[in-house]
Amino acid sequence: MLINENKYHELRNQLDAQKVVLVAVSKTKPVEALQALYDLGHRDFGENYVQELVDKQPKLPADIRWHFIGHLQSNKVKYIAPFVHLIHGVDSLKLLKEINKQAQKANKIIEVLLQVHIAQEETKFGFDNSELEELFTVQKDAIEEMKHVRIMGFMGMASFTENEAQVREEFRSLRTLFDRYKEYPVSTINLSILSMGMSGDYTIAVEEGSNMVRIGSLIFGARDYSA
Ligand SMILES: *Cc1c(COP(=O)(O)O)cnc(C)c1O
């Protein structure tokens, strides 16, 4: 079975009712699985690896909205710039500048989310509070000049833990930041998307104000990295 169809419909009904966008995370999954979900009407797909995304994109329908949700290296932006819909994991000014440059070349505006480090774990990427503050104040002019990127919101990942209270607290901290910068008066910033929540914690994320969840295993089954 390529996809869990019942679970997908259940998720869709629940999330549509709450106006939450469902990004189906299809990393490591074959194009046949993505096509099967597409045939059910799904259009938002999330991928983590540039090479994998570049391989899959031409084999699938052109109206898919591709979300890049992994860690993006500056030197790889050019490969996805022509077709990417939303880049979730922007974690440096350098990367933002490169996206602006490649978007200009592709004659488009690329929408991005800033990744914010909310987990207590050390391993997750992203801006911390003070870096974000610096970006929005000290670097304000630099951001305003990037006419080919639009900062649409934040993305965050909670700690991988059974401790629900901690996960909730981490999501809440991102929601608080989102509310603080929502009315930020810079033309290239237009915060409306809060991307948080995965298979294991999306319910909590939505309760804490997420309006975009990234769900893989619940739809496609567990990933097999051994191949
Ligand atoms: C893999 C991944 C997901 C989806 O994870 P699941 O637990 O399979 O739902 C979501 N977000 C990011 C950034 C990921 O890397």
Side-chain angles (χ1 to χ4, degrees):
M1 203 180 59
L2 291 168
I3 52 174
N4 186 339
E5 213 173 309
N6 289 340
K7 188 70 201 176
Y8 171 69
H9 287 302
E10 185 192 308
L11 278 168
R12 251 333 260 280
N13 288 339
Q14 181 194 354
L15 294 167
D16 284 358
Q18 299 180 92
K19 297 196 163 51
V20 175
V21 176
L22 170 60
V23 177
V25 177
S26 46
K27 62 186 177 207
T28 80
K29 299 297 176 184
V31 288
E32 291 76 19
L34 283 76
Q35 183 70 51
L37 196 64
Y38 178 93
D39 292 340
L40 296 179
H42 200 74
R43 294 296 178 268
D44 290 277
F45 290 85
E47 289 282 341
N48 283 55
Y49 310 102
V50 169
Q51 189 56 54
E52 186 179 346
L53 174 53
V54 167
D55 286 344
K56 282 174 171 173
Q57 187 266 342
K59 298 184 180 129
L60 286 155
D63 63 341
I64 285 182
R65 293 184 288 270
W66 291 105
H67 297 247
F68 191 81
I69 65 171
H71 183 65
L72 183 57
Q73 289 171 290
S74 297
N75 60 359
K76 302 233 168 113
V77 174
K78 56 177 175 287
Y79 301 115
I80 63 171
F83 63 84
V84 75
H85 171 69
L86 181 66
I87 299 176
H88 290 229
V90 175
D91 61 357
S92 71
L93 184 60
K94 176 176 175 239
L95 179 56
L96 208 52
K97 285 181 172 161
E98 179 62 18
I99 294 170
N100 185 57
K101 184 174 148 194
Q102 296 302 333
Q104 184 164 15
K105 274 193 194 168
N107 197 21
K108 64 189 277 200
I109 289 172
I110 295 183
E111 300 191 339
V112 306
L113 305 179
L114 301 179
Q115 184 166 356
V116 183
H117 182 272
I118 52 171
Q120 288 176 23
E121 296 160 14
E122 280 300 316
T123 51
K124 305 255 157 80
F125 295 103
F127 292 96
D128 64 26
N129 285 6
S130 61
E131 289 166 344
L132 198 63
E133 168 99 36
E134 182 186 315
L135 187 73
F136 279 23
T137 53
V138 182
Q139 305 294 346
K140 186 165 173 268
D141 292 346
I143 290 179
E144 183 119 55
E145 278 166 23
M146 290 185 229
K147 301 297 182 199
H148 291 266
V149 288
R150 196 72 80 244
I151 298 174
M152 300 300 293
F154 297 149
M155 184 270 245
M157 290 168 83
S159 297
F160 188 70
T161 169
E162 295 290 310
N163 185 343
E164 273 197 22
Q166 183 185 337
V167 169
R168 187 177 296 282
E169 198 47 52
E170 292 174 359
F171 285 143
R172 191 167 292 176
S173 71
L174 188 54
R175 167 68 187 272
T176 304
L177 278 178
F178 182 74
D179 287 341
R180 181 188 309 162
Y181 292 113
K182 213 155 53 184
E183 308 294 333
Y184 207 66
V186 171
S187 61
T188 54
I189 301 177
N190 176 18
L191 300 189
S192 56
I193 301 174
L194 190 50
S195 167
M196 53 185 200
M198 321 189 350
S199 288
D201 57 18
Y202 77 93
T203 313
I204 303 174
V206 169
E207 283 167 7
E208 294 304 325
S210 167
N211 58 17
M212 184 175 278
V213 296
R214 310 173 310 271
I215 295 184
S217 13
L218 281 182
I219 298 170
F220 294 106
R223 283 176 294 275
D224 180 3
Y225 287 103
S226 63

